[in-house]
Amino acid sequence: MNTVDTIAAVATAPGGAIGIVRISGEHALSAAQAVWHGRKSLCRENARMMLYGLIGTPGEPALAVYMPNPHSYTGEDVVELHCHGGAVTVRRTLEAVLRQKNIRSAEPGEFTMRAFINGKLDLAQAEAVGDIITATGDATLNLALRQLAGTLSNTVNDIREQLLLLASDCESRLDFPDEELEFDDSSLLVERLDSACTALRKLINSAHAGAILRQGVRVALAGKPNAGKSSLLNALLGIDRAIVSSIPGTTRDTLEERAVLRNIPVEITDTAGLRDADDEIEALGIQRAKDAMKQSQIVFYLLDASSDDLDSELKEFASNRQWNNQQLIAVWNKIDLAKERILPEIADVPCVKISARTGENLETLLDLFEKLVWQDDGNGSDTPEAVNARHLSLLQAAENALKPVAAEILAGNWELASANLRSALLESGRIVGETIEPDLLDEIFSRFCIGK
């Protein structure tokens, strides 16, 4: 990306009451002055004041605010024009700006990339901006806000500071081998190294929570026809999304919906009932159901507690229990129709008894779901730092570089110890952008929307 040009773009989503055109760069103020006019002029004396004026002819009401460098989002001169929402008004405002000399349209993520280049954000914080935009629930948003505030960056920098001190100590012993200098005992260096490695491992372990919060969990609702899968989907969503009928086989295709359950983003797939089908269309739906089950991370397998033949329910369950790495929950549904019935437990599978129609024990099902998602991590939505896939790869590379360092220190191999410590510093530095390749910058910021 060219970071010298002055850029402009719409910074708000279409359809809102207000549309914002953002301009950043050396010519931002002159471009805004050419298209916007008010009683008070846009200038440094009126910086950070929201001013009322008009844009164009016959004159569209708009507010304008000038934020001079370096105290702006991008670290450059920034002007924002706040006009009425609607496609035409915003488009006309942006076109008026782009007609000015030395102004071009911003590329995706270019405002945030300039904030990174100008030192307003480090790379981990810049990534958090993208996470804020794509957040699907409170936990995901809170994680992104913590990362934007520097929680992850501070932890990484603390680890890097420990490693830098260790590397400096090792290199000092190389530079002054014959000097009678008092160096710390090697065992003390190993203790410091262990402390850094422990903090590094804690970040690596947070990747599980990070993947769940950012990518969500795929959940499939499976079972025989008329087991109540669509009723459970509606209960989980809180709306009547799927058609519910007492006629078996109502759902003949997969139905996918996104939701947030217990602060966990999920994609729920309601599937066709599993049975032998002569109908070609139903058979296709059943095959899609099986594919959805294989692609899901958790399967809610529904059994009909009101069935006249519970053995048949269990037999059908056993015949479809061909899982790979999926977590499975057996769900006895319709207990409101079988109040006095003793329902069998299922060996080696967590089991819960619910009524999707009345909502009875639905919270118990969600408790079990939450426990399976977080496994031994507790409530991962409260994880202060939850690293993403890019961070994880770099942290693992840093950890691998540090594995032989303790032995090298104890053996007095200061050159090898220093080289490995420097390698770990290089890898961990890439998380916050201390070292970065231009292609990676383009790849990260290209995921952003234009105007951010």
mmCIF file of all heavy atoms in Angstrom, residues 217-222 264 266-269 292-293 295-301 323 325-329 365 368-374:
data_model
loop_
_atom_site.group_PDB
_atom_site.id
_atom_site.type_symbol
_atom_site.label_atom_id
_atom_site.label_comp_id
_atom_site.label_asym_id
_atom_site.label_seq_id
_atom_site.Cartn_x
_atom_site.Cartn_y
_atom_site.Cartn_z
ATOM 1 N N VAL A 217 -18.480 -22.368 17.297
ATOM 2 C CA VAL A 217 -18.591 -23.830 17.402
ATOM 3 C C VAL A 217 -19.729 -24.287 16.496
ATOM 4 O O VAL A 217 -20.803 -23.696 16.493
ATOM 5 C CB VAL A 217 -18.876 -24.252 18.867
ATOM 6 C CG1 VAL A 217 -19.080 -25.757 18.961
ATOM 7 C CG2 VAL A 217 -17.741 -23.806 19.771
ATOM 8 N N ARG A 218 -19.477 -25.329 15.731
ATOM 9 C CA ARG A 218 -20.513 -25.905 14.862
ATOM 10 C C ARG A 218 -21.261 -26.994 15.630
ATOM 11 O O ARG A 218 -20.655 -27.938 16.136
ATOM 12 C CB ARG A 218 -19.897 -26.474 13.591
ATOM 13 C CG ARG A 218 -19.298 -25.417 12.682
ATOM 14 C CD ARG A 218 -18.802 -26.016 11.370
ATOM 15 N NE ARG A 218 -17.776 -27.031 11.601
ATOM 16 C CZ ARG A 218 -16.501 -26.763 11.785
ATOM 17 N NH1 ARG A 218 -16.081 -25.509 11.790
ATOM 18 N NH2 ARG A 218 -15.628 -27.725 11.991
ATOM 19 N N VAL A 219 -22.579 -26.837 15.701
ATOM 20 C CA VAL A 219 -23.433 -27.772 16.438
ATOM 21 C C VAL A 219 -24.457 -28.349 15.474
ATOM 22 O O VAL A 219 -25.120 -27.610 14.742
ATOM 23 C CB VAL A 219 -24.163 -27.068 17.600
ATOM 24 C CG1 VAL A 219 -25.106 -28.036 18.311
ATOM 25 C CG2 VAL A 219 -23.155 -26.478 18.579
ATOM 26 N N ALA A 220 -24.591 -29.662 15.459
ATOM 27 C CA ALA A 220 -25.604 -30.324 14.628
ATOM 28 C C ALA A 220 -26.680 -30.930 15.519
ATOM 29 O O ALA A 220 -26.379 -31.523 16.565
ATOM 30 C CB ALA A 220 -24.970 -31.402 13.764
ATOM 31 N N LEU A 221 -27.943 -30.770 15.112
ATOM 32 C CA LEU A 221 -29.063 -31.417 15.782
ATOM 33 C C LEU A 221 -29.444 -32.627 14.951
ATOM 34 O O LEU A 221 -29.853 -32.494 13.793
ATOM 35 C CB LEU A 221 -30.250 -30.459 15.895
ATOM 36 C CG LEU A 221 -29.960 -29.074 16.483
ATOM 37 C CD1 LEU A 221 -31.236 -28.242 16.562
ATOM 38 C CD2 LEU A 221 -29.319 -29.195 17.860
ATOM 39 N N ALA A 222 -29.295 -33.830 15.521
ATOM 40 C CA ALA A 222 -29.515 -35.060 14.775
ATOM 41 C C ALA A 222 -30.494 -35.951 15.510
ATOM 42 O O ALA A 222 -30.807 -35.743 16.681
ATOM 43 C CB ALA A 222 -28.186 -35.784 14.550
ATOM 44 N N ILE A 264 -20.966 -18.103 23.722
ATOM 45 C CA ILE A 264 -20.193 -18.850 22.733
ATOM 46 C C ILE A 264 -20.868 -18.699 21.371
ATOM 47 O O ILE A 264 -22.032 -19.071 21.219
ATOM 48 C CB ILE A 264 -20.108 -20.344 23.111
ATOM 49 C CG1 ILE A 264 -19.467 -20.519 24.486
ATOM 50 C CG2 ILE A 264 -19.332 -21.123 22.043
ATOM 51 C CD1 ILE A 264 -19.631 -21.905 25.060
ATOM 52 N N VAL A 266 -22.130 -19.793 17.937
ATOM 53 C CA VAL A 266 -22.399 -21.128 17.404
ATOM 54 C C VAL A 266 -23.070 -21.024 16.043
ATOM 55 O O VAL A 266 -23.745 -20.041 15.730
ATOM 56 C CB VAL A 266 -23.295 -21.959 18.352
ATOM 57 C CG1 VAL A 266 -22.606 -22.235 19.663
ATOM 58 C CG2 VAL A 266 -24.638 -21.266 18.581
ATOM 59 N N GLU A 267 -22.854 -22.046 15.248
ATOM 60 C CA GLU A 267 -23.611 -22.237 14.013
ATOM 61 C C GLU A 267 -24.374 -23.549 14.184
ATOM 62 O O GLU A 267 -23.774 -24.623 14.245
ATOM 63 C CB GLU A 267 -22.693 -22.318 12.801
ATOM 64 C CG GLU A 267 -23.437 -22.466 11.488
ATOM 65 C CD GLU A 267 -22.512 -22.509 10.287
ATOM 66 O OE1 GLU A 267 -22.047 -21.436 9.859
ATOM 67 O OE2 GLU A 267 -22.237 -23.626 9.798
ATOM 68 N N ILE A 268 -25.684 -23.457 14.302
ATOM 69 C CA ILE A 268 -26.525 -24.621 14.584
ATOM 70 C C ILE A 268 -27.117 -25.129 13.271
ATOM 71 O O ILE A 268 -27.680 -24.349 12.497
ATOM 72 C CB ILE A 268 -27.662 -24.277 15.565
ATOM 73 C CG1 ILE A 268 -27.118 -23.567 16.806
ATOM 74 C CG2 ILE A 268 -28.421 -25.535 15.967
ATOM 75 C CD1 ILE A 268 -28.191 -23.059 17.741
ATOM 76 N N THR A 269 -26.994 -26.423 13.045
ATOM 77 C CA THR A 269 -27.562 -27.033 11.847
ATOM 78 C C THR A 269 -28.656 -28.009 12.238
ATOM 79 O O THR A 269 -28.408 -29.001 12.928
ATOM 80 C CB THR A 269 -26.478 -27.788 11.041
ATOM 81 O OG1 THR A 269 -25.419 -26.891 10.713
ATOM 82 C CG2 THR A 269 -27.071 -28.347 9.749
ATOM 83 N N ALA A 292 -23.363 -33.064 7.763
ATOM 84 C CA ALA A 292 -23.357 -31.978 8.753
ATOM 85 C C ALA A 292 -22.870 -32.482 10.105
ATOM 86 O O ALA A 292 -22.145 -31.774 10.822
ATOM 87 C CB ALA A 292 -24.756 -31.383 8.881
ATOM 88 N N MET A 293 -23.258 -33.706 10.460
ATOM 89 C CA MET A 293 -22.809 -34.279 11.723
ATOM 90 C C MET A 293 -21.292 -34.466 11.733
ATOM 91 O O MET A 293 -20.620 -34.176 12.727
ATOM 92 C CB MET A 293 -23.528 -35.606 11.965
ATOM 93 C CG MET A 293 -25.016 -35.440 12.246
ATOM 94 S SD MET A 293 -25.999 -36.916 11.901
ATOM 95 C CE MET A 293 -25.325 -38.056 13.094
ATOM 96 N N GLN A 295 -19.121 -32.764 10.059
ATOM 97 C CA GLN A 295 -18.440 -31.470 10.012
ATOM 98 C C GLN A 295 -18.610 -30.662 11.294
ATOM 99 O O GLN A 295 -17.969 -29.623 11.457
ATOM 100 C CB GLN A 295 -18.957 -30.657 8.820
ATOM 101 C CG GLN A 295 -18.622 -31.272 7.471
ATOM 102 C CD GLN A 295 -19.437 -30.680 6.342
ATOM 103 O OE1 GLN A 295 -20.169 -29.708 6.531
ATOM 104 N NE2 GLN A 295 -19.337 -31.271 5.160
ATOM 105 N N SER A 296 -19.454 -31.128 12.190
ATOM 106 C CA SER A 296 -19.723 -30.389 13.423
ATOM 107 C C SER A 296 -18.744 -30.777 14.515
ATOM 108 O O SER A 296 -18.154 -31.861 14.501
ATOM 109 C CB SER A 296 -21.158 -30.646 13.897
ATOM 110 O OG SER A 296 -22.079 -30.138 12.959
ATOM 111 N N GLN A 297 -18.580 -29.876 15.460
ATOM 112 C CA GLN A 297 -17.739 -30.169 16.613
ATOM 113 C C GLN A 297 -18.526 -30.804 17.750
ATOM 114 O O GLN A 297 -17.989 -31.563 18.534
ATOM 115 C CB GLN A 297 -17.067 -28.867 17.082
ATOM 116 C CG GLN A 297 -16.065 -28.314 16.076
ATOM 117 C CD GLN A 297 -15.934 -26.818 16.161
ATOM 118 O OE1 GLN A 297 -16.805 -26.071 15.745
ATOM 119 N NE2 GLN A 297 -14.826 -26.351 16.714
ATOM 120 N N ILE A 298 -19.799 -30.456 17.847
ATOM 121 C CA ILE A 298 -20.670 -31.034 18.870
ATOM 122 C C ILE A 298 -21.978 -31.453 18.210
ATOM 123 O O ILE A 298 -22.521 -30.727 17.373
ATOM 124 C CB ILE A 298 -20.952 -30.030 20.007
ATOM 125 C CG1 ILE A 298 -19.650 -29.708 20.749
ATOM 126 C CG2 ILE A 298 -22.002 -30.554 20.973
ATOM 127 C CD1 ILE A 298 -19.812 -28.732 21.894
ATOM 128 N N VAL A 299 -22.468 -32.634 18.570
ATOM 129 C CA VAL A 299 -23.736 -33.148 18.040
ATOM 130 C C VAL A 299 -24.704 -33.359 19.192
ATOM 131 O O VAL A 299 -24.397 -34.046 20.161
ATOM 132 C CB VAL A 299 -23.528 -34.473 17.278
ATOM 133 C CG1 VAL A 299 -24.869 -35.041 16.828
ATOM 134 C CG2 VAL A 299 -22.610 -34.273 16.081
ATOM 135 N N PHE A 300 -25.872 -32.723 19.091
ATOM 136 C CA PHE A 300 -26.978 -33.015 19.991
ATOM 137 C C PHE A 300 -27.807 -34.103 19.300
ATOM 138 O O PHE A 300 -28.487 -33.820 18.312
ATOM 139 C CB PHE A 300 -27.861 -31.793 20.219
ATOM 140 C CG PHE A 300 -27.217 -30.664 20.979
ATOM 141 C CD1 PHE A 300 -27.895 -29.461 21.163
ATOM 142 C CD2 PHE A 300 -25.949 -30.780 21.529
ATOM 143 C CE1 PHE A 300 -27.324 -28.406 21.863
ATOM 144 C CE2 PHE A 300 -25.368 -29.748 22.225
ATOM 145 C CZ PHE A 300 -26.056 -28.551 22.388
ATOM 146 N N TYR A 301 -27.738 -35.327 19.806
ATOM 147 C CA TYR A 301 -28.513 -36.421 19.202
ATOM 148 C C TYR A 301 -29.791 -36.594 19.999
ATOM 149 O O TYR A 301 -29.765 -36.973 21.168
ATOM 150 C CB TYR A 301 -27.713 -37.719 19.166
ATOM 151 C CG TYR A 301 -28.350 -38.756 18.268
ATOM 152 C CD1 TYR A 301 -27.864 -38.981 16.992
ATOM 153 C CD2 TYR A 301 -29.464 -39.486 18.672
ATOM 154 C CE1 TYR A 301 -28.445 -39.905 16.142
ATOM 155 C CE2 TYR A 301 -30.075 -40.406 17.835
ATOM 156 C CZ TYR A 301 -29.559 -40.612 16.570
ATOM 157 O OH TYR A 301 -30.158 -41.519 15.730
ATOM 158 N N TRP A 323 -18.644 -41.315 14.901
ATOM 159 C CA TRP A 323 -18.095 -39.976 15.037
ATOM 160 C C TRP A 323 -16.591 -39.993 14.844
ATOM 161 O O TRP A 323 -15.929 -41.010 15.034
ATOM 162 C CB TRP A 323 -18.437 -39.403 16.416
ATOM 163 C CG TRP A 323 -19.807 -39.783 16.865
ATOM 164 C CD1 TRP A 323 -20.147 -40.655 17.855
ATOM 165 C CD2 TRP A 323 -21.039 -39.327 16.307
ATOM 166 N NE1 TRP A 323 -21.500 -40.763 17.960
ATOM 167 C CE2 TRP A 323 -22.072 -39.968 17.017
ATOM 168 C CE3 TRP A 323 -21.365 -38.454 15.287
ATOM 169 C CZ2 TRP A 323 -23.414 -39.745 16.735
ATOM 170 C CZ3 TRP A 323 -22.697 -38.233 14.999
ATOM 171 C CH2 TRP A 323 -23.702 -38.870 15.721
ATOM 172 N N ASN A 325 -14.008 -36.710 15.659
ATOM 173 C CA ASN A 325 -13.597 -35.985 16.865
ATOM 174 C C ASN A 325 -14.747 -35.201 17.486
ATOM 175 O O ASN A 325 -14.530 -34.355 18.339
ATOM 176 C CB ASN A 325 -12.446 -35.022 16.514
ATOM 177 C CG ASN A 325 -11.210 -35.757 16.056
ATOM 178 O OD1 ASN A 325 -10.846 -36.778 16.625
ATOM 179 N ND2 ASN A 325 -10.566 -35.249 15.017
ATOM 180 N N GLN A 326 -15.974 -35.473 17.035
ATOM 181 C CA GLN A 326 -17.112 -34.725 17.556
ATOM 182 C C GLN A 326 -17.415 -35.094 19.005
ATOM 183 O O GLN A 326 -17.269 -36.247 19.405
ATOM 184 C CB GLN A 326 -18.373 -34.986 16.716
ATOM 185 C CG GLN A 326 -18.277 -34.489 15.295
ATOM 186 C CD GLN A 326 -17.744 -35.555 14.363
ATOM 187 O OE1 GLN A 326 -17.119 -36.503 14.795
ATOM 188 N NE2 GLN A 326 -18.006 -35.386 13.082
ATOM 189 N N GLN A 327 -17.820 -34.081 19.758
ATOM 190 C CA GLN A 327 -18.365 -34.323 21.083
ATOM 191 C C GLN A 327 -19.843 -34.643 20.909
ATOM 192 O O GLN A 327 -20.531 -34.024 20.101
ATOM 193 C CB GLN A 327 -18.192 -33.086 21.959
ATOM 194 C CG GLN A 327 -16.748 -32.679 22.191
ATOM 195 C CD GLN A 327 -16.076 -33.518 23.257
ATOM 196 O OE1 GLN A 327 -16.723 -34.340 23.909
ATOM 197 N NE2 GLN A 327 -14.794 -33.318 23.427
ATOM 198 N N LEU A 328 -20.347 -35.587 21.658
ATOM 199 C CA LEU A 328 -21.721 -36.067 21.490
ATOM 200 C C LEU A 328 -22.495 -35.916 22.793
ATOM 201 O O LEU A 328 -22.010 -36.259 23.870
ATOM 202 C CB LEU A 328 -21.699 -37.537 21.057
ATOM 203 C CG LEU A 328 -23.045 -38.246 20.887
ATOM 204 C CD1 LEU A 328 -23.843 -37.589 19.768
ATOM 205 C CD2 LEU A 328 -22.828 -39.714 20.606
ATOM 206 N N ILE A 329 -23.703 -35.373 22.672
ATOM 207 C CA ILE A 329 -24.620 -35.298 23.812
ATOM 208 C C ILE A 329 -25.908 -36.006 23.410
ATOM 209 O O ILE A 329 -26.525 -35.662 22.392
ATOM 210 C CB ILE A 329 -24.940 -33.842 24.196
ATOM 211 C CG1 ILE A 329 -23.663 -33.083 24.580
ATOM 212 C CG2 ILE A 329 -25.940 -33.799 25.343
ATOM 213 C CD1 ILE A 329 -23.899 -31.621 24.909
ATOM 214 N N LEU A 365 -29.029 -28.651 29.540
ATOM 215 C CA LEU A 365 -28.383 -28.976 28.266
ATOM 216 C C LEU A 365 -27.303 -27.949 27.937
ATOM 217 O O LEU A 365 -26.192 -28.311 27.516
ATOM 218 C CB LEU A 365 -29.426 -29.030 27.153
ATOM 219 C CG LEU A 365 -28.896 -29.195 25.722
ATOM 220 C CD1 LEU A 365 -28.099 -30.484 25.573
ATOM 221 C CD2 LEU A 365 -30.048 -29.148 24.726
ATOM 222 N N LEU A 368 -24.183 -28.446 30.015
ATOM 223 C CA LEU A 368 -23.370 -29.543 29.498
ATOM 224 C C LEU A 368 -22.628 -29.116 28.230
ATOM 225 O O LEU A 368 -21.442 -29.424 28.043
ATOM 226 C CB LEU A 368 -24.266 -30.752 29.220
ATOM 227 C CG LEU A 368 -23.599 -32.070 28.846
ATOM 228 C CD1 LEU A 368 -22.532 -32.451 29.845
ATOM 229 C CD2 LEU A 368 -24.652 -33.169 28.742
ATOM 230 N N PHE A 369 -23.323 -28.393 27.373
ATOM 231 C CA PHE A 369 -22.704 -27.874 26.155
ATOM 232 C C PHE A 369 -21.513 -26.980 26.487
ATOM 233 O O PHE A 369 -20.422 -27.124 25.914
ATOM 234 C CB PHE A 369 -23.754 -27.097 25.354
ATOM 235 C CG PHE A 369 -23.187 -26.157 24.322
ATOM 236 C CD1 PHE A 369 -22.656 -26.641 23.142
ATOM 237 C CD2 PHE A 369 -23.195 -24.781 24.540
ATOM 238 C CE1 PHE A 369 -22.125 -25.771 22.194
ATOM 239 C CE2 PHE A 369 -22.686 -23.915 23.605
ATOM 240 C CZ PHE A 369 -22.143 -24.414 22.423
ATOM 241 N N GLU A 370 -21.708 -26.074 27.432
ATOM 242 C CA GLU A 370 -20.641 -25.143 27.815
ATOM 243 C C GLU A 370 -19.437 -25.895 28.371
ATOM 244 O O GLU A 370 -18.283 -25.573 28.066
ATOM 245 C CB GLU A 370 -21.189 -24.163 28.848
ATOM 246 C CG GLU A 370 -20.252 -23.024 29.188
ATOM 247 C CD GLU A 370 -20.883 -22.028 30.144
ATOM 248 O OE1 GLU A 370 -21.859 -22.389 30.835
ATOM 249 O OE2 GLU A 370 -20.393 -20.891 30.208
ATOM 250 N N LYS A 371 -19.696 -26.921 29.169
ATOM 251 C CA LYS A 371 -18.612 -27.708 29.760
ATOM 252 C C LYS A 371 -17.812 -28.424 28.673
ATOM 253 O O LYS A 371 -16.569 -28.477 28.721
ATOM 254 C CB LYS A 371 -19.195 -28.719 30.752
ATOM 255 C CG LYS A 371 -18.147 -29.567 31.455
ATOM 256 C CD LYS A 371 -18.799 -30.514 32.453
ATOM 257 C CE LYS A 371 -17.765 -31.384 33.146
ATOM 258 N NZ LYS A 371 -18.396 -32.327 34.100
ATOM 259 N N LEU A 372 -18.499 -28.983 27.683
ATOM 260 C CA LEU A 372 -17.798 -29.677 26.598
ATOM 261 C C LEU A 372 -16.970 -28.715 25.759
ATOM 262 O O LEU A 372 -15.875 -29.052 25.310
ATOM 263 C CB LEU A 372 -18.807 -30.410 25.706
ATOM 264 C CG LEU A 372 -19.450 -31.670 26.267
ATOM 265 C CD1 LEU A 372 -20.410 -32.272 25.252
ATOM 266 C CD2 LEU A 372 -18.385 -32.698 26.638
ATOM 267 N N VAL A 373 -17.490 -27.527 25.528
ATOM 268 C CA VAL A 373 -16.774 -26.553 24.702
ATOM 269 C C VAL A 373 -15.467 -26.148 25.360
ATOM 270 O O VAL A 373 -14.404 -26.161 24.723
ATOM 271 C CB VAL A 373 -17.649 -25.309 24.445
ATOM 272 C CG1 VAL A 373 -16.809 -24.181 23.854
ATOM 273 C CG2 VAL A 373 -18.790 -25.647 23.505
ATOM 274 N N TRP A 374 -15.537 -25.795 26.652
ATOM 275 C CA TRP A 374 -14.332 -25.270 27.298
ATOM 276 C C TRP A 374 -13.436 -26.372 27.826
ATOM 277 O O TRP A 374 -12.292 -26.102 28.211
ATOM 278 C CB TRP A 374 -14.716 -24.326 28.436
ATOM 279 C CG TRP A 374 -15.434 -23.098 27.976
ATOM 280 C CD1 TRP A 374 -16.639 -22.639 28.411
ATOM 281 C CD2 TRP A 374 -15.008 -22.150 26.980
ATOM 282 N NE1 TRP A 374 -16.990 -21.480 27.760
ATOM 283 C CE2 TRP A 374 -16.001 -21.159 26.872
ATOM 284 C CE3 TRP A 374 -13.881 -22.058 26.167
ATOM 285 C CZ2 TRP A 374 -15.903 -20.090 25.989
ATOM 286 C CZ3 TRP A 374 -13.781 -21.000 25.277
ATOM 287 C CH2 TRP A 374 -14.777 -20.037 25.197
#
